[in-house]
């Protein structure tokens, strides 16, 4: 049995997920906690946030993130792919910097106008 703290809302329910009993979740106060607990053990994902180099603007780095959660085991590959990116200002929020990063189906998008 795994113990997790749910991160889908500020309540932070203490979940227990029974892997041997069909990933049964207890301790959740809402259905989102049950879905989170099951997904965290079956296929954990994360949204990756970082910065990339940017020239010609008011800042030397530009904040970016993945457009969707990516598999947790691909996070370091995604971060490594960001090292090769250097943007030229101006850039706009939502601008796709790197489509389908590392074959995850998620794009790297800009999160600040520069």
């Amino acid at each position: 049995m795994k113990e997790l703290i749910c991160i889908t809302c500020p309540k932070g329910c203490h979940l227990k997920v029974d892997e041997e009993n069909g990933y049964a979740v207890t301790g959740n106060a809402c259905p989102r906690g049950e879905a989170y607990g099951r997904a965290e053990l079956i296929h954990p994902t994360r949204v990756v946030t970082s910065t990339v180099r940017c020239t010609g603007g008011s800042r030397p780095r530009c904040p970016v993130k993945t457009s969707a959660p990516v598999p947790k085991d691909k996070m370091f590959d995604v971060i490594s792919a960001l090292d090769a990116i250097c943007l030229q200002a101006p850039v706009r929020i939502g601008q796709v910097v790197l489509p389908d990063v590392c074959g995850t189906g998620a794009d790297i998008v800009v999160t600040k106008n520069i």
Side-chain angles (χ1 to χ4, degrees), residues 50-64 82-83 85-89 91 112-114:
S50 187
T51 59
V52 295
R53 290 181 300 241
C54 185
T55 60
S58 59
R59 308 249 186 245
R61 304 216 37 106
C62 178
V64 295
L82 297 179
D83 286 339
I85 297 172
C86 184
L87 302 177
Q88 176 64 42
V91 292
K112 181 178 176 121
N113 293 330
I114 297 182

Side-chain angles (χ1 to χ4, degrees), residues 2-112:
K2 294 276 188 174
E3 295 185 16
L4 306 168
I5 295 177
C6 183
I7 61 171
T8 58
C9 75
K11 193 169 185 178
C13 295
H14 290 262
L15 307 177
K16 291 185 180 180
V17 183
D18 188 355
E19 298 167 286
E20 297 173 3
N21 193 16
Y23 296 96
V25 179
T26 57
N28 54 303
C30 69
R32 293 186 303 168
E34 182 178 1
Y36 169 78
R38 187 172 286 114
E40 186 63 18
L41 285 166
I42 295 171
H43 184 66
T45 59
R46 299 288 186 271
V47 171
V48 176
T49 60
S50 187
T51 59
V52 295
R53 290 181 300 241
C54 185
T55 60
S58 59
R59 308 249 186 245
R61 304 216 37 106
C62 178
V64 295
K65 70 173 193 148
T66 54
S67 60
V70 298
K72 194 173 175 183
D73 61 349
K74 292 264 189 180
M75 286 176 57
F76 289 109
D77 296 335
V78 170
I79 296 289
S80 294
L82 297 179
D83 286 339
I85 297 172
C86 184
L87 302 177
Q88 176 64 42
V91 292
R92 297 283 171 232
I93 293 174
Q95 179 179 330
V96 175
V97 174
L98 184 60
D100 191 24
V101 62
C102 300
T104 62
D107 300 331
I108 299 294
V109 296
V110 172
T111 61
K112 181 178 176 121

